[in-house]
Amino acid sequence: MERLRLFMYQMERLIETHVPELSALLKEKEIPCELFAVRWFVTIFSYDFEPPYLYVLWDLFVLNGWKYLFGVALTALKELAKAVHEEESEVLLGHIKNAIQENPSIQRSILINSLSLKISNKDLLKLEKEYKDKQGENNKITNSKNIT
């Protein structure tokens, strides 16, 4: 569970960097990335991609690791960001959660475009350190509250 929290932190920060307009919209609508990205990471996109594309995704994931999965998620969000602007929170969330599986043609595009998105293991390690530092700060605050 802790690893999933780390992934969601990394995902949120990567969205801020790579899809800033969508990040701002999600924050404005108070939609945390956990509401749509947890399913992607827990199932490694098996819920969203049809088998021919899913097998390619899994092969590339095995070859490239988690950085590739983050790349697929960000590419998917970039594709979806084109279609969402001023939708209501519920509609926006539903669109993000369901658009990939409902539109097989976008699946191919996501796989192709995700290969050009450069996310390195160094980037992920930097975000992991940032996450752990924040967790350490939160633990210090909690511990100091318990002492007083």
Side-chain angles (χ1 to χ4, degrees), residues 52-66:
Y53 299 117
L54 181 62
Y55 302 149
V56 172
L57 187 153
W58 284 351
D59 285 345
L60 290 168
F61 171 60
V62 168
L63 289 171
N64 297 296
W66 288 105

Side-chain angles (χ1 to χ4, degrees), residues 4-19 22-23 26 32-34 36-38 40-41 45 66 69-78 117 119 124 127:
L4 188 57
R5 285 189 196 104
L6 168 63
F7 286 166
M8 292 304 100
Y9 177 82
Q10 291 169 316
M11 188 73 227
E12 191 161 319
R13 297 284 287 121
L14 289 168
I15 293 169
E16 289 172 6
T17 303
H18 292 275
V19 198
L22 182 61
S23 175
L26 292 172
C33 73
E34 289 89 344
F36 53 87
V38 165
W40 294 346
F41 283 84
F45 283 96
W66 288 105
L69 212 62
F70 281 101
V72 170
L74 287 171
T75 303
L77 289 171
K78 283 183 177 190
L117 189 64
I119 298 173
L124 294 177
L127 291 171

Side-chain angles (χ1 to χ4, degrees), residues 28-113:
E28 176 188 321
K29 304 286 185 183
E30 298 179 355
I31 300 174
C33 73
E34 289 89 344
L35 293 180
F36 53 87
V38 165
R39 179 174 82 191
W40 294 346
F41 283 84
V42 169
T43 67
I44 309 176
F45 283 96
S46 63
Y47 189 80
D48 296 277
F49 280 77
E50 293 191 355
Y53 299 117
L54 181 62
Y55 302 149
V56 172
L57 187 153
W58 284 351
D59 285 345
L60 290 168
F61 171 60
V62 168
L63 289 171
N64 297 296
W66 288 105
K67 66 183 178 182
Y68 178 70
L69 212 62
F70 281 101
V72 170
L74 287 171
T75 303
L77 289 171
K78 283 183 177 190
E79 292 283 332
L80 300 174
K82 297 172 189 174
V84 298
H85 296 290
E86 296 301 319
E87 296 180 358
E88 294 298 320
S89 298
E90 298 80 20
V91 174
L92 176 62
L93 180 59
H95 182 75
I96 291 172
K97 288 175 86 172
N98 300 317
I100 299 171
Q101 83 184 95
E102 292 175 354
N103 189 354
S105 64
I106 200 174
Q107 295 173 19
R108 182 176 189 275
S109 174
I110 289 169
L111 289 180
I112 291 169
N113 293 331

